[in-house]
């Protein structure tokens, strides 16, 4: 992934590209895109296209013409439910993605694993995997959208984060939930997104324990946010009023994907 904000694009007039894209968008997305300021940055984040020349500008327009209104609407408005799909729609194999190759992904030992809950919560505690697995779980089949230009449908099972926040006595008037991962990755969710009914502490992919590739032993699945706001190998959560950013947030990917 590269920084999108400061791209200089020879032969591409950004404002014309935005105007063309608006014309191609379905109704609901168009209204929300315009309400959001119709910026070039939002367009690249929405489509996942890095526009570097006129060919990639064409690719972006082709992408817009395939827009699924319901998916885009959920990304634009955190109060909307993300669409769910039949199990037959699950993408196989589901892609692995990180800022490194799969061989370098964290290999977390489930026996030693602890999920540390800190910050503005009544019950600060380090949870074992057995304790987490004992929580009530639900299955969701949703689409994961990565700004790098791919999307895929997956099946994730776990505990709604809002139920867990209630359980630990989190101050839900706080602004953020900040997540730390085993290899140092971090990400921030704004509290409304953390409390969204589909935001999940995920322990399974399909019917299997979450494989290493997808974040064993726990990821935070957020179908209303882009992929980078879905931290894997999560080892800590802090409820806080301080904006602590995150691995990609700090590199400029914060404009559209949520706080
Ligand atoms: N810990 C950690 N979580 C992460 C990342 C990462 O590099 N490290 N990459 C993010 C990005 S950009 C994407 S698209 C998804 C990919 O998840 P997947 O491997 O399950 O497809 O993980 C997100 N969460
Ligand atoms: Mo991503």
């Amino acid at each position: 992934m590269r920084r999108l904000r400061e791209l200089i694009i020879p032969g591409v007039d950004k404002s014309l590209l935005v105007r063309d894209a608006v014309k191609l968008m379905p109704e609901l997305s168009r209204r929300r895109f315009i309400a959001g300021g119709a910026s070039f940055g939002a367009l690249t984040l929405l489509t996942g296209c890095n526009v570097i020349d006129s060919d990639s500008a064409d690719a972006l327009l082709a992408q817009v013409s395939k827009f699924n209104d319901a998916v885009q609407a959920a990304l634009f408005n955190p109060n909307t439910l993300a669409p769910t799909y039949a199990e037959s729609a699950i993408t196989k194999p589901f892609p692995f993605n990180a800022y490194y190759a799969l061989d370098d992904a964290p290999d977390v030992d489930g026996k030693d694993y602890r999920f540390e809950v800190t910050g503005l919560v009544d019950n600060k505690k380090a949870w074992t995997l057995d304790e987490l697995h004992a929580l009530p779980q639900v299955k969701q089949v949703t689409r994961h959208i990565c700004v790098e230009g791919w999307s895929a449908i997956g099946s994730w099972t776990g505990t709604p984060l809002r139920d867990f926040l209630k359980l630990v006595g989190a101050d839900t008037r706080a602004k953020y939930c900040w997540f730390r991962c085993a290899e140092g990755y971090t990400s921030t969710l704004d509290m409304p997104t953390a409390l969204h009914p589909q935001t999940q502490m995920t322990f399974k992919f399909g019917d299997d324990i979450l494989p290493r590739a997808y974040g064993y032993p726990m990821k935070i699945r957020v179908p209303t946010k882009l992929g980078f706001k879905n931290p894997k190998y999560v080892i800590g959560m802090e409820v806080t009023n301080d904006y602590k950013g995150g691995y990609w947030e700090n590199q400029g990917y914060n404009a559209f994907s949520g706080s």
Side-chain angles (χ1 to χ4, degrees):
M1 230 150 48
R2 80 182 79 187
R3 294 189 60 143
L4 294 174
R5 277 185 172 171
E6 286 138 30
L7 286 179
I8 297 160
I9 310 159
V12 178
D13 181 321
K14 289 186 197 177
S15 58
L16 284 181
L17 185 61
V18 169
R19 213 191 296 164
D20 284 351
V22 164
K23 282 190 218 142
L24 289 168
M25 280 180 192
E27 174 69 17
L28 198 52
S29 296
R30 179 168 52 231
R31 274 194 274 136
R32 295 236 163 93
F33 181 66
I34 291 168
S39 72
F40 175 75
L43 187 59
T44 55
L45 284 171
L46 258 181
T47 55
C49 294
N50 284 350
V51 177
I52 47 168
D53 52 28
S54 55
D55 282 351
S56 51
D58 287 346
L60 179 144
L61 292 176
Q63 186 70 18
V64 171
S65 69
K66 287 189 296 191
F67 259 21
N68 172 327
D69 219 1
V71 172
Q72 304 302 334
L75 283 174
F76 268 123
N77 180 351
N79 301 315
T80 307
L81 285 183
T84 55
Y85 300 86
E87 305 224 353
S88 57
I90 294 168
T91 306
K92 290 178 183 149
F94 190 84
F96 161 83
N97 195 36
Y99 61 92
Y100 43 73
L102 179 54
D103 280 353
D104 299 321
D107 209 347
V108 176
D109 181 343
K111 288 190 294 303
D112 299 338
Y113 174 80
R114 296 291 181 277
F115 174 51
E116 262 190 84
V117 179
T118 59
L120 303 170
V121 296
D122 292 336
N123 313 317
K124 294 188 181 61
K125 174 179 153 73
W127 292 68
T128 66
L129 202 46
D130 283 346
E131 288 171 327
L132 292 173
H133 283 170
L135 298 169
Q137 298 186 27
V138 290
K139 182 186 265 190
Q140 272 169 200
V141 179
T142 51
R143 185 183 293 276
H144 172 116
I145 302 172
C146 174
V147 287
E148 286 176 279
W150 57 273
S151 83
I153 295 173
S155 163
W156 291 276
T157 295
T159 302
L161 181 61
R162 66 172 177 182
D163 294 349
F164 185 78
L165 288 167
K166 216 173 289 166
L167 187 66
V168 299
D171 179 356
T172 54
R173 294 162 308 177
K175 288 190 186 148
Y176 309 108
C177 291
W178 181 68
F179 296 95
R180 284 186 298 119
C181 307
E183 86 284 47
Y185 189 89
T186 52
S187 189
T188 294
L189 289 182
D190 58 286
M191 189 60 79
T193 300
L195 294 172
H196 186 281
Q198 289 172 310
T199 298
Q200 185 189 77
M201 297 166 73
T202 300
F203 306 112
K204 285 183 170 180
F205 187 88
D207 294 319
D208 303 319
I209 288 295
L210 199 63
R212 177 172 166 226
Y214 308 144
Y216 179 83
M218 182 174 77
K219 73 174 274 173
I220 305 295
R221 172 68 192 134
V222 193
T224 55
K225 287 281 174 277
L226 294 168
F228 76 88
K229 291 232 172 228
N230 290 236
K232 308 190 285 184
Y233 322 103
V234 174
I235 56 168
M237 173 178 75
E238 184 178 333
V239 176
T240 176
N241 280 311
D242 302 327
Y243 180 70
K244 301 192 179 203
Y247 184 88
W248 289 118
E249 285 89 337
N250 298 349
Q251 299 180 55
Y253 277 91
N254 51 4
F256 164 71
S257 349
S259 49

